[in-house]
Amino acid sequence: MIKFVLMVNRQGQTRLSRYYQPVELGKRAALEADVVRGCLYRKKEECSFVEYKDFKLVYRHYASLYIVVGITESENELSVYELVHNFVEVLDKYFSRVVSPIMFNMDKVHIILDEMIQNGHVVETNHSRILAPLSALDTLAHS
Amino acid sequence: MSPSVRLQEMIRVIRSARTQGEERGVIQRECAAIRAQFRQADNGGRSHNLAKLLYVHMLGYPAHFGQMECVRLIASPRYNEKRVGYLGAMMLLDENQDASLLITNSIKNDLAHSSQYVQSLALCTLACMGSAEMCRDLAPEIDRLLRASSSYIKKKATLCAVHIVRKVPELGELFTPAARALLAEKNHGVLHGAVILITELCERNAQTLVQFREAVPELVHIMRGLVTSGYSPEHTVAGISDPFLQVRILRLLRILGRNNDTASDAMNDLLAQVATNTDSSKTAGSAVLYETVLTVMDIKSESGLRVLAVNILGRFLLNNDRNIRYISMTSLQKIVSTDHNAVQRHRGTIVDCLKDQDASVKRRALELSLALVSAINIRSMMKELLLFLSTCPPELKSHAASGIFNAAERYSPSQRWHIDTILHVLITAGADVRDETVPNLIQLITNASQLHCYTVHKLYRALVADISQQPLVQVACWCIGEYGDSLLQGDCEETEPIQVTEDDILDALETVLQSHMSSPATRGFALTATMKLSTRITENVDRIRSIVSIYGSCMDVELQQRAVEYNALFKKYDHMRAAVLEKMPVMDRSSMGQTNGESGGGGVQELEPTKPKQPEMMVAPQPASQVCDLLDLLSDPEEPSLPGGPLGPGGAPLGPAGLMSGSAGGDLLYLLGGLELTPTPTPATAPAAVTVYDKSGVVLKLSCERPLDASQTITLTATNTSDHDVSSLTLQAAVPKNVQLQMKAPSGDSLPARSSAVVTQTVLLNNPNKVSLKMRVRLSYTTS
């Protein structure tokens, strides 16, 4: 199962974090810093899977944003790799450019993430179905 | 006004803060404002404030004062506020907080709400942080939703059910029929959720697993539909239709087919079809193929399919994408023990990956290469491994070095090759090798008597070149001390002759003694070597005498003691000097196995500064009456002597803990009862494994085979099921006088806690006189 999803920028600051297994607040900062250090300093030729303590990290790099997903041993890494890309595509579809609007619409990004991943497992991967409740919410807000 | 606008402003302000202190100030002001607003019953801005609070929480600042606000917002009738309230609940609350109980009622009401979006919010939150009581309360509701609602709700309800099953495993039976029915759905989202739910149910409960085996044909049918269907605009990723669902189904099939022939048969065709039809040019296809390979390896598939799977992995190895190479090596590692030959075919590619840029790929390639070493390919593999050792990153060096040693020990084609390899490793990675390498190498050298001349020449050259690698220096000093006369002769048929004078040798040893790079152990080696040379060389004995007497006032107590004793040898006991310092006898492997950690016999005893023993130098070499602790145990009253060569004074200190570890954890030595084996004339039936030791989770079993009448092979197997790690595991054995004992090297010396790892050691017994066979085994280890 998926343990957590993190989005960090180049400087290592967390832009979005979502934990599917309870982690104490104090430990979160340390965990994030550690994870980010493991991923940020890898060169371009290195592979996207990192073994960290007793679980694995899958990370992808988009412009100035890094998306890091922590998964347990039993999960298929390539499948999670594709999932991250799917997530970015959905975000792209909703906002026109991925990077900066994300920061300012954190709650919407959370909603999208919740539609895709729930409780550590994948719920839905179809773009239109993921965005359906969000568009419903938008029309509700405008009306 | 949507909450985002106000949130955006705040985020902008926070991001524009230039220092940590400024940011903290901004956040404190905002939090104070938020707190004030929470206290008022302010209607309009509540959701904005909570959203802001969540952002602050994500940055790591405390936000617990928002919990009650979440509860209030959840109870509000407006969708906006409910949304933010539930989000806040998921982030700020967990089941340990008191406030979570307050939202139980709201969730219950919302689950029955008319709008499916509200229902989904409630489901989501319940799945995220529902406590066991909440789950028990609401389980029937979830079941109802599973059966009769829109597909949007169904898929969320299935994942909620997964959470409930995890929290309260007994409720699994409640969901089983519903889960089975869901397999007939068309909607991929629901199907996906259903597969996950079934996976979770099967993993928890073995009976459910048996029940769901009947669903295998259905799953196969769904999978086949996915693979053969054409382009479906909804779910296709890079040409593969819904790879996520395919991967999930394959994983479920793996769980259902494990250890079960009928289920595995039903899947064989499907797996072959998936393996051949899936296009692996993009990552999505590779992900499906990877899962297929894992499934094939895990179930009872036919051999043709397994070969196909290994070939797929081999194809992955040649892929340009680094991720795929890494994945394939990880899977090859898992199957190398079972399908060794198949993996051997790809050895060339694996060895090439040793030179890859990526550290993870290199590590995998190293482990795989070490697993693939065999008697046939040892020479070429070793060349590659040694090349790798000189260029590998430092964290892999010690692992590589120990792997190379193990491989060399098991498969070395000749002694000279073996010695060369070990020397090469010591020269390139000397600082990272384990401590037992030195005594092992010394024992190896003494055994290869015809190579003494060659070895000592090589070592001398290495010593002169570089004295920083401690193990190398130690071995070199020892050899020079023992075989200095061969060195002086100068000619040796296997290497170019160099002229070495006595002064050169003594210079080299003195440099080692005086260098600040030498550890105290190394200095000890060097001093003893210098002393031994006093009998081997003729001219510079005075120089040796002066060196030794200088160290009589050295600050290091160990060295001082040695020097003083050697001085005494020169003065009072000069008549004994030649006898004491004569060449070491050939050490048998069995005695090495017993004296694990003892380096090279007599003179080097005192290397372990933790051992409070008196130096054995003064004792006469053949301790006929000296009783080895181990042999003492034999009931045979005759004079015990270890078969396989006299131990020399090295035998005595076996007594208290013949181990190198002086760890605080405490050595635990357990003496075992004697084991009596009477050789029967008829060949025995299948050798039974007898448990000879079973205490606090560590079990030692003994099993024997009889290939020939006079000789027997005994295998000692140790396993650890306790909660502590076991390390420095050693097995020692003794047999009565007329039986010869030879212990092979153990497969390892540590057992992690609660694991299925085993350590095996083979013992060969030769019983030519057919006496009644007795064996005492001593097992020693350290636990954490």
Side-chain angles (χ1 to χ4, degrees), chain B residues 79-94:
Chain B
Y79 182 67
N80 267 350
E81 302 190 342
K82 258 201 214 292
R83 180 79 191 84
V84 181
Y86 271 119
L87 186 62
M90 277 193 275
M91 295 187 74
L92 294 176
L93 293 174
D94 57 35

Side-chain angles (χ1 to χ4, degrees), chain B residues 649-757:
Chain B
L654 189 52
L659 296 174
M660 276 246 253
S661 58
S663 61
D667 296 339
L668 305 171
L669 295 176
Y670 289 93
L671 300 176
L672 306 169
L675 194 64
E676 217 154 339
L677 307 166
T678 49
T680 56
T682 58
T685 49
V690 182
T691 306
V692 296
Y693 172 73
D694 184 0
K695 190 160 179 173
S696 53
V698 181
V699 176
L700 180 68
K701 287 198 172 64
L702 186 144
S703 66
C704 49
E705 290 124 349
R706 291 197 190 102
L708 302 163
D709 246 0
S711 66
Q712 306 193 14
T713 314
I714 296 186
T715 313
L716 297 159
T717 315
T719 47
N720 176 19
T721 50
S722 69
D723 285 0
H724 305 287
D725 288 352
V726 161
S727 56
S728 319
L729 185 79
T730 41
L731 298 160
Q732 301 159 342
V735 288
K737 187 168 151 199
N738 295 328
V739 181
Q740 287 151 18
L741 171 81
Q742 187 186 1
M743 287 181 92
K744 303 272 189 199
S747 65
D749 69 342
S750 65
L751 293 169
R754 267 188 256 119
S755 71
S756 54

Side-chain angles (χ1 to χ4, degrees), chain A residues 1-2 7 9 13-26 28-29 32 42-51 56 59-60 72-87 89 99-108 110-112 114-130 132-138 140-141, chain B residues 2-4 7-9 11-12 15 23 51 54-55 57-63 79-80 83-84 87 90-91 94 117 120 123-125 127-128 152 155-157 159-160 162-164 166 187-190 192-193 196 200 233-235 237-238 242-244 247-248 251 254 282-284 286-288 290-291 294 316 321-324 326-327 330 356-361 363-364:
Chain A
M1 61 170 280
I2 298 178
M7 280 169 59
N9 69 354
Q13 294 170 321
T14 313
R15 292 278 163 239
L16 179 127
S17 73
R18 186 85 167 136
Y19 289 83
Y20 296 101
Q21 268 181 351
V23 176
E24 286 169 44
L25 203 56
R28 279 190 200 188
E32 282 165 26
R42 287 169 77 87
K43 303 189 285 281
K44 215 181 293 199
E45 314 90 43
E46 299 193 78
C47 78
S48 307
F49 310 127
V50 182
E51 279 159 39
K56 298 188 263 207
Y59 72 93
R60 276 192 95 141
T72 53
E73 288 286 326
S74 52
E75 195 74 37
N76 182 336
E77 300 97 329
L78 288 175
S79 159
V80 175
Y81 191 72
E82 278 301 305
L83 184 69
V84 173
H85 193 65
N86 203 6
F87 177 53
E89 276 176 4
V99 181
S100 47
I102 287 189
M103 306 317 132
F104 299 108
N105 288 296
M106 264 266 305
D107 46 345
K108 298 239 170 68
H110 267 284
I111 296 177
I112 293 179
D114 277 338
E115 287 291 319
M116 282 190 74
I117 304 178
Q118 187 177 331
N119 204 12
H121 295 289
V122 175
V123 183
E124 179 66 64
T125 52
N126 179 295
H127 301 312
S128 24
R129 286 211 208 120
I130 292 175
L134 206 55
S135 14
L137 183 59
D138 284 342
L140 212 66
Chain B
S2 70
S4 306
L7 180 62
Q8 281 178 21
E9 257 180 54
I11 296 179
R12 208 169 283 138
R15 285 185 73 187
E23 181 182 300
L54 289 178
Y55 182 78
H57 169 81
M58 190 195 74
L59 288 179
Y61 296 92
Y79 182 67
N80 267 350
R83 180 79 191 84
V84 181
L87 186 62
M90 277 193 275
M91 295 187 74
D94 57 35
Y117 295 118
S120 81
L123 280 171
C124 206
T125 311
C128 186
Y152 178 71
K155 74 184 179 202
K156 302 231 168 186
L159 285 171
C160 200
V162 171
H163 177 85
I164 293 180
R166 256 190 227 142
N187 181 312
H188 281 213
V190 182
H192 199 121
I196 296 179
E200 188 75 28
E234 295 187 333
H235 296 283
V237 178
D242 209 346
F244 301 102
V247 164
R248 270 284 161 193
R251 196 172 309 162
R254 180 159 81 221
K282 293 288 178 68
T283 319
S286 306
V288 175
Y290 174 49
E291 196 71 30
L294 287 179
F316 276 178
D321 188 348
R322 191 157 278 106
N323 294 334
I324 296 185
Y326 174 83
I327 292 290
T330 319
D356 198 297
Q357 298 268 11
D358 186 309
S360 323
V361 170
R363 182 196 304 264
R364 288 269 165 245

Side-chain angles (χ1 to χ4, degrees), chain B residues 750-777:
Chain B
S750 65
L751 293 169
R754 267 188 256 119
S755 71
S756 54
V758 293
V759 166
T760 48
Q761 190 159 9
T762 317
V763 178
L764 295 175
L765 295 177
N766 194 8
N767 187 4
N769 299 348
K770 307 263 181 79
V771 300
S772 78
L773 204 55
K774 295 178 206 149
M775 183 158 109
R776 288 242 174 196
V777 181

Side-chain angles (χ1 to χ4, degrees), chain B residues 366 369-370 373 381-389 404:
Chain B
L366 174 66
S369 313
L370 288 174
V373 169
M381 287 294 278
M382 196 50 78
K383 224 181 301 182
E384 294 289 336
L385 286 171
L386 287 175
L387 197 61
F388 172 71
L389 190 64
I404 291 178

